[in-house]
Amino acid sequence: MIVFDALDALVRLCPPPADTPPAVDWAQAERALGAALPGDYKQLVATYGDGIFDDTLWLLVPDSAYSDCDLHAQTAERDEILAGLWAVGEQKPVGLLEAGARVLPWAFEEGTGAFLYWLARPGQHPDEWTVLYNEGRGPLWEHHEMGCLAFLLAVLTGTAETEYFGYLQEVLKPTEHRFLTADQTLGESRT
């Protein structure tokens, strides 16, 4: 299984928290989003929970105690922001020109305003969704023909073909990767 191989590789590269993250009610989460979610994402959330990889990439989780990490809150916020940008003429990424296509955020980059989305096309199974990176403070989008787990692993290993995440590879240059939970990082700033 490719998902489990990628997850095993990620766990070896970046150990998950010692405490198992809270279980997610996936049926309720998917009803609230109006869409099923990819299996690799569910495995990622079940293994890590909400938090940040290498002080760079925040993983969004349904029903996080922190609005910045909550998949539902961020989906609503990003939908509103993107709709506003597109209403004033900012160009949509090519994948969204297809009728019924949408983006759903699954992670964001610390301090940049950049988000990682799934490109959800009509009639496509969630496990086939690919990744879109939006720089956040500009109109540029970058498409990656892989799921979220494979993309995360590629970013952390420096093998992602991307114009972004230079800070991680050029400045931080992690020799040991780490994941910090939202509780460890955000502490008392719960919403």
Side-chain angles (χ1 to χ4, degrees), residues 135-157:
E135 67 180 341
R137 293 192 175 111
L140 299 179
W141 291 78
E142 190 178 78
H143 185 240
H144 299 274
E145 289 287 337
M146 62 184 75
C148 63
L149 180 54
F151 184 74
L152 176 61
L153 185 59
V155 166
L156 295 181
T157 59

Side-chain angles (χ1 to χ4, degrees), residues 17-33:
D19 295 331
T20 303
V24 172
D25 180 343
W26 290 111
Q28 190 280 329
E30 291 171 336
R31 273 193 307 277
L33 286 173

Side-chain angles (χ1 to χ4, degrees), residues 34-36 38 93-104 117-132 142-146:
V94 173
L96 285 181
L97 299 178
E98 179 181 357
R102 70 186 275 208
V103 290
L104 292 164
Y117 297 90
W118 291 291
L119 174 57
R121 292 185 163 126
Q124 190 177 44
H125 190 278
D127 290 342
E128 297 172 330
W129 292 353
T130 54
V131 171
L132 280 173
E142 190 178 78
H143 185 240
H144 299 274
E145 289 287 337
M146 62 184 75

Side-chain angles (χ1 to χ4, degrees), residues 3 21 59 66 80 105 128 181 186 188 190:
V3 169
L59 180 62
Y66 304 91
E80 183 178 326
E128 297 172 330
T181 66
L186 301 174
E188 295 301 315
R190 289 182 181 221

Side-chain angles (χ1 to χ4, degrees), residues 52-182:
I52 187 167
F53 290 89
D54 286 348
D55 300 321
T56 302
L57 273 175
W58 285 93
L59 180 62
L60 302 178
V61 173
D63 302 318
S64 171
Y66 304 91
S67 62
D68 285 350
C69 297
D70 182 64
L71 180 67
H72 298 93
Q74 289 304 317
T75 297
E77 184 176 303
R78 301 311 307 162
D79 284 351
E80 183 178 326
I81 289 169
L82 292 174
L85 290 171
W86 295 330
V88 297
E90 188 170 301
Q91 193 170 7
K92 288 183 178 184
V94 173
L96 285 181
L97 299 178
E98 179 181 357
R102 70 186 275 208
V103 290
L104 292 164
W106 61 271
F108 67 92
E109 188 177 3
E110 172 69 22
T112 67
F115 270 78
L116 289 163
Y117 297 90
W118 291 291
L119 174 57
R121 292 185 163 126
Q124 190 177 44
H125 190 278
D127 290 342
E128 297 172 330
W129 292 353
T130 54
V131 171
L132 280 173
Y133 177 95
N134 176 245
E135 67 180 341
R137 293 192 175 111
L140 299 179
W141 291 78
E142 190 178 78
H143 185 240
H144 299 274
E145 289 287 337
M146 62 184 75
C148 63
L149 180 54
F151 184 74
L152 176 61
L153 185 59
V155 166
L156 295 181
T157 59
T159 60
E161 293 182 22
T162 177
E163 295 296 318
Y164 303 97
F165 303 106
Y167 178 77
L168 176 61
Q169 300 304 325
E170 297 161 14
V171 178
L172 293 180
K173 298 178 186 176
T175 54
E176 289 186 17
H177 297 274
R178 70 181 186 154
F179 177 85
L180 295 174
T181 66

